[in-house]
Amino acid sequence: MQNFTWKNHKSCGTTSLLPMTPKKPQQWLQVVGHAGSFHVGDYGTLLKRFCEGEQQCYLRLMEDTLKPFVPAYHGIVQRDEQDYNMMDNLLTHFNTPAVMDCKMGSRTYLERELLLAKERPQPRNDMYEKMVAVDPEAPTVQERTQQAVLKTRYMQWRETLSSTTSLGFRIEGFRKSNEECHTNFKRTKSRDQVMAAFNNFVESNTHIVWGYLRRLKELRQVLEESVFFRTHEVVGSSLLFLHDWKGRTGVWMIDFGKTAALPAHLSLDHRTPWVEGNREDGYLWGLDNLIDILSNMLPLT
């Protein structure tokens, strides 16, 4: 990668991604998310399209107890007049890894997004079409007449389809080491369905499950002590799972484009059910459920 310029600054967007390293070293293949958001950098780094909110999160995380659980952050670089946040490429130390992206929390939209949508209620034809494509019975009589739904209604309906609202996380997609990809988890909702998906991902390897379980329990303990976590609404963030044929495993927190700092008087426990105004995101509730599911995949001892 050439022609990098160090920069400071600007705007935001978020993406959900799944990285991979198939045939060539230092490769990054997205399975879900927005194409073109990532480039592989030099010396084991990854470039992600610049987002100021995400940059601020990484700067704070580098000073927090959560630092070992996020990619190391190396600042902003410019490539072809586009700014990127530069961080460690987590795939570097794995040999043809299997990779899974789990979106954490009981909702994937910020409270301010909901507020904006309510301030400007505009029936959306595109969202109606997306809704009926998934479930033709979902629209109300009025929505069918209008052939449109409000954004607030669509956002909240969409979350009920997957395990986001029932378990506090959802599988976005995974890719096994043999390059077999699975990304159709929009209707994966029950514990049994999630467990079956995880079992497919780890190929019934209890050693891999043990590795993930240890890491997740360590993460939970650190999250419960983290100042950053207590003072941020963590929405749209993922856990990235990696394992390879040598039995190495790792889990990291990624995607902080929607993570928002709270007002000084407010802190979250991340387990209290969300009601509009309390800013709770259900992250730890989801992690508790994830740990419980993986625990139940292990033989009784």
Side-chain angles (χ1 to χ4, degrees):
M1 213 131 303
Q2 303 93 17
N3 302 325
F4 288 140
T5 309
W6 290 89
K7 299 241 334 177
N8 294 303
H9 83 76
K10 65 183 182 202
S11 65
C12 206
T14 187
T15 189
S16 172
L17 63 97
L18 198 56
M20 311 291 155
T21 47
K23 296 166 187 165
K24 298 178 187 173
Q26 296 278 314
Q27 189 168 354
W28 186 269
L29 173 67
Q30 277 182 254
V31 174
V32 294
H34 304 296
S37 297
F38 296 88
H39 294 282
V40 175
D42 292 329
Y43 311 110
T45 61
L46 182 75
L47 309 182
K48 183 176 181 183
R49 192 178 290 270
F50 183 78
C51 163
E52 186 174 10
E54 190 158 41
Q55 176 213 24
Q56 293 305 309
C57 285
Y58 273 116
L59 290 173
R60 290 170 187 163
L61 284 162
M62 292 302 98
E63 305 296 323
D64 190 80
T65 53
L66 278 171
K67 183 178 179 180
F69 293 91
V70 298
Y73 181 68
H74 303 293
I76 304 168
V77 296
Q78 191 176 73
R79 183 188 185 210
D80 300 328
E81 300 184 357
Q82 171 65 51
D83 290 343
Y84 293 89
N85 283 316
M86 183 166 67
M87 61 198 75
D88 278 0
N89 184 342
L90 298 170
L91 280 65
T92 302
H93 301 294
F94 288 83
N95 195 332
T96 316
V99 188
M100 174 183 276
D101 181 310
C102 274
K103 188 75 72 182
M104 299 302 295
S106 54
R107 58 189 167 92
T108 58
Y109 49 84
L110 289 165
E111 283 201 5
R112 68 167 177 258
E113 290 181 274
L114 204 58
L115 195 62
L116 279 170
K118 283 183 174 179
E119 284 174 355
R120 304 171 197 156
Q122 183 67 43
R124 297 271 298 267
N125 301 102
D126 58 329
M127 289 181 175
Y128 175 84
E129 287 168 10
K130 286 180 183 178
M131 181 183 276
V132 294
V134 174
D135 183 0
E137 302 302 312
T140 63
V141 173
Q142 183 181 0
E143 287 165 348
R144 280 199 192 91
T145 303
Q146 290 183 319
Q147 297 279 291
V149 296
L150 293 173
K151 184 178 180 180
T152 50
R153 154 91 164 116
Y154 177 79
M155 287 160 65
Q156 293 175 308
W157 165 81
R158 185 184 57 188
E159 305 291 47
T160 65
L161 297 175
S162 70
S163 56
T164 291
T165 50
S166 58
L167 294 172
F169 72 91
R170 71 170 183 247
I171 297 170
E172 288 285 280
F174 67 77
R175 181 182 183 282
K176 295 158 83 167
S177 57
N178 65 0
E179 302 188 16
E180 179 185 315
C181 289
H182 297 263
T183 58
N184 187 18
F185 295 102
K186 289 184 174 66
R187 305 298 293 269
T188 301
K189 189 170 184 176
S190 72
R191 294 178 91 86
D192 287 346
Q193 288 174 315
V194 171
M195 192 182 293
F198 260 97
N199 208 35
N200 184 6
F201 173 59
V202 302
E203 299 183 271
S204 304
N205 186 326
T206 55
H207 174 75
I208 300 297
V209 177
W210 272 116
Y212 282 143
L213 201 51
R214 280 193 297 270
R215 177 75 168 174
L216 290 174
K217 286 180 176 179
E218 290 168 6
L219 172 60
R220 179 167 64 182
Q221 184 176 347
V222 175
L223 284 170
E224 288 173 336
E225 299 164 356
S226 164
V227 174
F228 175 91
F229 193 59
R230 190 166 58 247
T231 57
H232 284 77
E233 179 185 2
V234 185
V235 169
S237 181
S238 289
L239 287 180
L240 184 71
F241 291 75
L242 288 168
H243 69 264
D244 63 20
W245 62 272
K246 291 186 176 180
R248 290 177 294 197
T249 57
V251 183
W252 288 268
M253 298 173 71
I254 60 168
D255 292 343
F256 299 101
K258 280 191 174 184
T259 295
L262 299 168
H265 68 280
L266 199 59
S267 67
L268 304 181
D269 64 30
H270 302 275
R271 285 191 176 98
T272 299
W274 175 66
V275 292
E276 199 171 339
N278 75 357
R279 303 285 290 269
E280 288 288 353
D281 51 42
Y283 194 109
L284 277 179
W285 174 59
L287 185 55
D288 290 340
N289 283 322
L290 188 47
I291 287 170
D292 186 58
I293 287 168
L294 289 178
S295 298
N296 284 313
M297 288 171 62
L298 294 170
L300 293 172
T301 55

